[in-house]
Amino acid sequence: MRRPPALLVMDPAKFGVQFQEAQLRRLHDLVELGEPIVTDDLDEPAVRRRLRDVEVLVTSWGCPPLTTERLADAPRLQAIFHCAGTVRTFVTDEVWRRGILVTNAADENAIPVAEFTLAAVIFAGKKVPFLAQDARSNRADWSFAAGRGELTNRGRTIGVVGFSRVGRRVVERLRGLEVDVLVADPYADPAEVSAAGARLLPLPELLPRCDVLTLHVPELPSTHHLIGAAELALLRDGTTLINTARGSVLDTAALERECAQGRLDAILDVTDPEPLPSTSPLYDLPNVMITPHVAGSLGSETRRMSESALDELERYLSGQPPRAAVTADEFMVSA
């Protein structure tokens, strides 16, 4: 098998996590690597000289935008294998114009997000994050738990907004619980949703039925504040909202008002802005849990994404079609 010239374009610190001995050994078997092996600066003179011969880029977090000017330095570039999820931060129209193959590892990144979401749904049913907060100031008597309502997961209704890579994995994992799962997604196939174990409903019909609402839509102009004041008002008192998607799909100010009144609870792994200002009331509310964007791939999980990119590279070198190609059309509507 031929070994084309390649360059890794990513944050060097991420490279150190994503490419350890096994991944590096496999990478060296597949491509020719010069100096530097990895960079996040495509404007450096030594990198620009290397780009003249490069056929393959292996990218990850920290890859700068592939502008027309930068791509002019890479006349032989044929393929980009991304070791992370979205390519939105660096792929440009010039990439599509030149017909460069682009793949990503979004399917692999969806796995830990779905796992985190399942845990959040289960914790939401028992109000675990909020009871943990209550316990800090109620150390002598645990009767405070009764104030959180019925603590159960059995018979709950879970609303999933977005039948995306993550959304469908969440639906599949919820099959292990005795819950009713509803999905809102204008692009979803009702038969596919049903086969996964859920029912497809328009968003306004789904919202009033939920005990837990979990968001899994991409960050697009059409999804900005998809869940705003009007949508939050449709949720029943005591509903828990989970956001592991993007902060901008949720109107932060509207959520602050609802949570401050104690009407809704929230588990937020992403916020808008990120992080929230230190003055945000959400930090101090006993019915809100905020985590610092940890649901996605971290640590050893990121090496699953590297392995996926190397699988795609191997398929490319052997003349097989890619499994996770990103197309210009998909780019417009996906994360």
Side-chain angles (χ1 to χ4, degrees):
M1 185 183 295
R2 69 188 183 91
R3 295 171 61 239
L7 175 67
L8 281 76
V9 186
M10 61 188 71
D11 180 342
K14 291 290 186 184
F15 168 73
V17 175
Q18 286 199 260
F19 285 83
Q20 297 197 336
E21 184 177 351
Q23 291 77 34
L24 282 172
R25 187 167 54 247
R26 189 176 174 201
L27 183 65
H28 279 283
D29 288 341
L30 293 173
V31 296
E32 291 183 6
L33 296 170
E35 287 295 336
I37 293 174
V38 60
T39 184
D40 58 0
D41 184 358
L42 293 178
D43 300 322
E44 185 182 340
V47 174
R48 294 184 67 179
R49 287 193 295 272
R50 275 218 59 211
L51 282 171
R52 294 171 191 163
D53 298 320
V54 162
E55 179 181 332
V56 167
L57 294 183
V58 178
T59 60
S60 188
W61 291 281
C63 178
L66 299 177
T67 61
T68 301
E69 293 75 20
R70 286 169 175 154
L71 286 171
D73 289 329
R76 301 182 181 180
L77 181 63
Q78 298 294 317
I80 300 167
F81 301 101
H82 192 48
C83 302
T86 183
V87 298
R88 195 169 282 281
T89 57
F90 68 92
V91 166
T92 63
D93 288 343
E94 182 65 8
V95 172
W96 306 125
R97 190 191 69 77
R98 283 183 46 177
I100 295 169
L101 170 67
V102 179
T103 73
N104 68 10
D107 281 340
E108 285 68 30
N109 192 45
I111 294 169
V113 182
E115 292 170 346
F116 183 101
T117 303
L118 175 63
V121 169
I122 293 172
F123 270 25
K126 296 276 189 175
K127 301 291 184 181
V128 169
F130 320 122
L131 289 171
Q133 296 251 35
D134 295 342
R136 295 180 184 275
S137 54
N138 294 275
R139 304 186 183 193
D141 180 4
W142 282 4
S143 61
F144 66 83
R148 290 288 180 183
E150 186 178 25
L151 306 178
T152 184
N153 281 295
R154 186 170 185 263
R156 294 290 194 186
T157 298
I158 316 300
V160 178
V161 181
F163 198 59
S164 56
R165 288 183 177 92
V166 177
R168 68 182 63 214
R169 282 172 170 80
V170 170
V171 170
E172 290 165 358
R173 282 163 172 76
L174 288 171
R175 282 177 159 177
L177 305 178
E178 293 182 63
V179 296
D180 185 24
V181 183
L182 306 177
V183 169
D185 187 326
Y187 302 104
D189 182 338
E192 288 186 15
V193 173
S194 178
R199 285 187 295 140
L200 188 63
L201 289 178
L203 183 61
E205 293 182 29
L206 176 147
L207 293 171
R209 305 184 185 199
C210 295
D211 297 295
V212 177
L213 182 71
T214 179
L215 309 182
H216 302 290
V217 295
E219 184 176 42
L220 301 169
S222 60
T223 61
H224 182 75
H225 287 188
L226 178 68
I227 306 299
E231 289 74 26
L232 293 174
L234 291 175
L235 295 171
R236 297 191 297 223
D237 291 0
T239 298
T240 300
L241 186 149
I242 300 167
N243 192 7
T244 58
R246 288 290 185 266
S248 67
V249 306
L250 176 62
D251 184 336
T252 300
L255 182 68
E256 287 174 347
R257 291 191 293 270
E258 293 282 10
C259 291
Q261 294 169 11
R263 204 181 73 76
L264 301 179
D265 302 328
I267 297 175
L268 307 174
D269 187 56
V270 292
T271 58
D272 183 27
E274 191 172 293
L276 289 169
S278 60
T279 54
S280 172
L282 293 175
Y283 283 121
D284 299 313
L285 292 174
N287 56 334
V288 176
M289 183 180 90
I290 300 173
T291 50
H293 204 147
V294 296
S297 296
L298 297 172
S300 61
E301 294 165 337
T302 66
R303 293 194 281 281
R304 177 164 51 201
M305 304 174 79
S306 300
E307 292 288 353
S308 172
L310 293 176
D311 287 345
E312 291 285 33
L313 172 56
E314 192 165 355
R315 291 175 66 81
Y316 166 77
L317 295 175
S318 62
Q320 299 179 67
R323 288 184 173 147
V326 181
T327 66
D329 289 341
E330 179 184 309
F331 185 77
M332 300 299 296
V333 296
S334 65

